[in-house]
Amino acid sequence: MRSKVLNVVGVLGTLAFGVQMLSAQSSQTIHGFVSDSRCGTAHSSPSAAASKCIKGCLKGSSEAVVVSDGKVYHLKGKTGQVGKYAGENVTVTGTVDGDTLTVDSVSPEKS
């Protein structure tokens, strides 16, 4: 009986460890466009008009977001540098959880 209990405990422990490893997030690289939370996908490529609008919204109450393949990523983590690329294409490295991108680094997209 004790042997069966130990086996069950061992199996459950292994399953719990496996589930934890599956839920661990790995770093990803996202190529996208810096827009703002108000306009979102209305701006998805660089232009003078888009850049002016985004920068104006960011000065207001809007927050920077990254638009990639039609999806809007809300940002957290090291977001301080993202706003300076408003209206530009960027490469962001971080972890994705749903529509939230936790920023580790951001750099302008190389043309």
Side-chain angles (χ1 to χ4, degrees):
M1 179 69 171
R2 183 173 182 198
S3 174
K4 288 182 180 179
V5 170
L6 289 176
N7 285 339
V8 169
V9 170
V11 169
L12 291 176
T14 301
L15 287 174
F17 179 74
V19 168
Q20 183 180 21
M21 292 306 291
L22 287 175
S23 67
Q25 298 175 354
S26 61
S27 185
Q28 297 181 3
T29 300
I30 304 291
H31 301 276
F33 178 80
V34 177
S35 186
D36 65 274
S37 57
R38 181 171 176 227
C39 295
T41 59
H43 306 296
S44 58
S45 62
S47 73
S51 185
K52 181 179 179 182
C53 179
I54 293 165
K55 288 177 182 178
C57 288
L58 291 177
K59 286 181 182 175
S61 61
S62 200
E63 295 180 8
V65 298
V66 172
V67 178
S68 179
D69 294 327
K71 183 170 182 170
V72 176
Y73 291 97
H74 300 275
L75 308 175
K76 67 180 192 176
K78 299 178 182 177
T79 61
Q81 296 294 312
V82 177
K84 79 177 189 177
Y85 299 115
E88 297 180 31
N89 289 321
V90 293
T91 299
V92 182
T93 303
T95 54
V96 176
D97 184 14
D99 66 351
T100 301
L101 172 57
T102 302
V103 178
D104 290 331
S105 68
V106 61
S107 60
E109 187 80 17
K110 294 180 170 73
S111 327

